[in-house]
Amino acid sequence: MSMCVIMFVILGTTADKFFCPALEVMSKIMGMSEHLAGVTLLAFGNGSPDLFTNLAGAKGSTSTLFSNMLGSSIYVTAFIGGVICLIRSFRIDGSNILRDTSFFILGILYIDYVMKDGYVTTWESICLILIYVAYLIAIILDQYLLKRQVLSEAYKRYSKLRQEANIDIVHRLSHTSVDIEGTRHGFDYTAQSDANGNLWQQFMNSLKPFEIEEWCSSNGCQKAILCFKVPIVCSLQFFLPIVNYEEERHGWSKLLNCLQIIISPIIMFILICGSPCWKFCLYSLAITIPLSVFCFMHTRTDEPPKFHALFALLSAVGSMCTIYSCAAETVEILYVLGLILDCSNSFLGCTLLAWGNGVGDLISDATLAFHGYPRMAFAASIGGPFFNTLLGIGCVMLLKNLYGQTGYEPLPSGPLGENCFVFLLLILFATLLWSITTNFHIRRCIGIFNILLYGLFFLYTVLGECEVIQTYAEISQYGTE
């Protein structure tokens, strides 16, 4: 239990202090809307570690791949999507949610179609990947056309279209727009001739786990939490750069950032590969040390450099590695719990392991919603599962076909696979129904509805595991006898 608490504190701190601000900066630099950032950057960030894990195990058994993928999709789409709706009410663009949900339904129906004979061929695997490629082309083209429309529309609609076309950096508490140029320098900025002025003072200040004002305004319980988080925050600050438009100098700390160029790749290799990767860590020094020296020689302490946005990419990748590592530990804990409870592999995959794999999505999406970006978070709750399911099954089955000799490989759905398929379709069609019914206004009652849908799925899965009721697969088999 204590290990789970530590994992959640690390996840929450990483998402709140490093990952979400870096994602905001990257979206702003690339000129993305909230929705496009959600279904691309955030979806890739949340889903790519799971995808690489599945690809690494492509030579192994895929007996529960189908149910695991769909179970995780149900958890993210229904439960995490519901949590986002509970956090904040907002309005979404109708074309976005209709397009995303329709593509997701198409992908799921195609997976069910190719599995009718129990086998997935090489061309069927490629078609799964192409469906996702077509989806990416559609959303990028839509973003391009929206920006063209911003330039051609009348002034009365300009502000609304502009908000849809580009992400707006907002203050976390007031949710007002941030003056990016105003925070580029220190609040007490005065021009100085020394490029390394206050270097050590800036370095020490950037490693502070909390501000004095925050400590003074906290009660006893809050101070205890701050003390508990001190070693975690300090450790994360030492290798994850802070790139945040809300902070003075956008979080730039010259000496610390130069050191992070060297330290961050080493920590990321260790988090992903473990201790056997020490050779790669040594090889990375040949690249990172010259980069660090160059950065130190061509930057100042009183303002961030023009290439400071590159540190946002470093922070985002490092945060993804940290979130993945913590989620993997949580999965192991839940897996042990499932073994103690004597649960089947299929049940573990679509419930307990789905929770463990989705804990990173839950923390990062909820944090973004709290920060004022619910559209981005909600888009990721659909785009992330779509990315994982289509590319997860498509790429894994393509690799298995390339490894094999027959050109087709079995993909059994398992005892709960059909159950997950039916419930995922139900949730996606329900999303289409309530979005049209509410005129695309996301209300908190929608969040309750989504969470109740996930509760219904979980109840049905538990009853099927305990053999109190039949699953859809058993009903289908019974009907054919």
Side-chain angles (χ1 to χ4, degrees):
M1 179 61 71
S2 60
M3 182 59 68
C4 285
V5 172
I6 294 174
M7 292 297 108
F8 273 98
V9 171
I10 295 175
L11 283 168
T13 304
T14 303
D16 179 68
K17 197 172 181 66
F18 304 97
F19 184 59
C20 292
L23 201 64
E24 296 167 11
V25 172
M26 292 172 62
S27 303
K28 187 68 174 179
I29 294 297
M30 299 173 69
M32 290 183 167
S33 65
E34 275 194 55
H35 183 270
L36 182 59
V39 296
T40 54
L41 295 181
L42 186 55
F44 296 164
N46 289 335
S48 54
D50 295 331
L51 175 62
F52 294 145
T53 300
N54 290 323
L55 291 177
K59 291 185 178 180
S61 173
T62 56
S63 59
T64 59
L65 177 65
F66 181 77
S67 58
N68 289 1
M69 286 293 183
L70 297 194
S72 296
S73 297
I74 291 172
Y75 174 71
V76 176
T77 304
F79 184 81
I80 297 180
V83 170
I84 295 167
C85 298
L86 280 177
I87 292 173
R88 189 177 302 278
S89 298
F90 57 97
R91 191 184 189 282
I92 53 177
D93 185 80
S95 61
N96 289 337
I97 190 170
L98 293 177
R99 179 196 59 232
D100 296 349
T101 310
S102 299
F103 263 101
F104 203 168
I105 292 174
L106 171 65
I108 296 301
L109 290 176
Y110 184 75
I111 292 173
D112 183 64
Y113 168 75
V114 301
M115 285 182 57
K116 289 299 183 182
D117 57 359
Y119 294 91
V120 180
T121 66
T122 300
W123 282 110
E124 288 170 343
S125 303
I126 294 174
C127 286
L128 276 175
I129 299 172
L130 290 179
I131 290 176
Y132 189 78
V133 172
Y135 168 70
L136 283 182
I137 294 174
I139 59 176
I140 293 174
L141 180 62
D142 185 63
Q143 173 80 356
Y144 170 75
L145 294 176
L146 180 59
K147 287 181 178 292
R148 289 284 301 271
Q149 188 179 8
V150 168
L151 298 175
S152 60
E153 284 287 335
Y155 177 77
K156 62 181 180 180
R157 294 193 59 200
Y158 175 80
S159 58
K160 179 181 177 182
L161 289 170
R162 188 67 181 175
Q163 184 180 8
E164 291 289 340
N166 290 288
I167 187 173
D168 184 28
I169 304 297
V170 297
H171 289 285
R172 302 185 188 186
L173 298 179
S174 62
H175 302 301
T176 58
S177 297
V178 173
D179 180 8
I180 297 178
E181 286 302 318
T183 57
R184 181 173 174 80
H185 299 96
F187 299 136
D188 55 350
Y189 171 75
T190 54
Q192 60 182 36
S193 57
D194 187 4
N196 296 320
N198 300 319
L199 181 68
W200 287 104
Q201 181 182 354
Q202 183 186 71
F203 175 76
M204 298 305 297
N205 288 336
S206 59
L207 290 177
K208 290 191 302 185
F210 51 80
E211 298 295 333
I212 300 299
E213 295 80 4
E214 184 181 5
W215 175 267
C216 295
S217 61
S218 302
N219 57 35
C221 181
Q222 292 171 333
K223 288 180 179 178
I225 295 175
L226 289 176
C227 292
F228 176 75
K229 292 171 62 176
V230 165
I232 295 173
V233 174
C234 290
S235 300
L236 293 174
Q237 286 178 329
F238 197 65
F239 81 95
L240 291 178
I242 294 178
V243 186
N244 189 345
Y245 283 152
E246 296 181 60
E247 297 188 6
E248 60 174 326
R249 296 185 305 275
H250 299 168
W252 169 254
S253 177
K254 178 175 179 176
L255 181 57
L256 179 59
N257 287 149
C258 291
L259 290 175
Q260 286 167 340
I261 295 175
I262 301 173
I263 298 171
S264 293
I266 295 176
I267 300 297
M268 284 188 277
F269 277 129
I270 294 174
L271 287 175
I272 298 299
C273 305
S275 55
C277 68
W278 61 270
K279 289 185 179 179
F280 296 103
C281 297
L282 293 178
Y283 295 151
S284 71
L285 296 178
I287 300 174
T288 57
I289 290 178
L291 286 177
S292 179
V293 173
F294 174 84
C295 180
F296 189 86
M297 296 296 294
H298 294 83
T299 57
R300 303 176 58 86
T301 56
D302 53 356
E303 63 176 350
K306 294 181 178 179
F307 54 83
H308 190 216
L310 294 177
F311 284 89
L313 177 61
L314 182 63
S315 180
V317 175
S319 298
M320 286 165 49
C321 294
T322 305
I323 291 172
Y324 169 73
S325 180
C326 292
E329 291 298 324
T330 306
V331 166
E332 293 298 326
I333 294 172
L334 293 174
Y335 182 73
V336 172
L337 176 61
L339 293 179
I340 294 174
L341 297 176
D342 195 25
C343 300
S344 67
N345 288 335
S346 185
F347 177 81
L348 280 176
C350 61
T351 54
L352 295 180
L353 298 188
W355 301 345
N357 288 323
V359 67
D361 302 56
L362 175 62
I363 298 298
S364 57
D365 291 352
T367 303
L368 275 169
F370 275 118
H371 285 190
Y373 303 98
R375 295 180 187 85
M376 186 190 300
F378 189 79
S381 71
I382 297 178
F386 185 43
F387 169 82
N388 264 347
T389 303
L390 269 292
L391 292 190
I393 295 178
C395 292
V396 168
M397 297 312 298
L398 178 61
L399 285 180
K400 289 184 74 68
N401 285 321
L402 295 177
Y403 291 148
Q405 303 294 329
T406 59
Y408 59 88
E409 288 290 331
L411 181 61
S413 60
L416 294 175
E418 290 293 330
N419 187 46
C420 294
F421 169 74
V422 170
F423 269 95
L424 183 54
L425 279 183
L426 172 65
I427 290 167
L428 292 175
F429 276 114
T431 301
L432 285 176
L433 179 62
W434 62 248
S435 60
I436 296 173
T437 304
T438 61
N439 195 25
F440 308 107
H441 286 275
I442 309 298
R443 303 165 183 169
R444 288 184 170 88
C445 61
I446 299 299
I448 298 174
F449 175 74
N450 273 15
I451 293 174
L452 288 177
L453 272 181
Y454 183 77
L456 180 63
F457 162 75
F458 181 71
L459 175 63
Y460 196 96
T461 305
V462 171
L463 294 178
E465 174 72 8
C466 298
E467 299 182 351
V468 175
I469 60 175
Q470 290 179 310
T471 64
Y472 285 106
E474 292 169 338
I475 293 173
S476 177
Q477 293 170 3
Y478 178 76
T480 60
E481 292 179 354

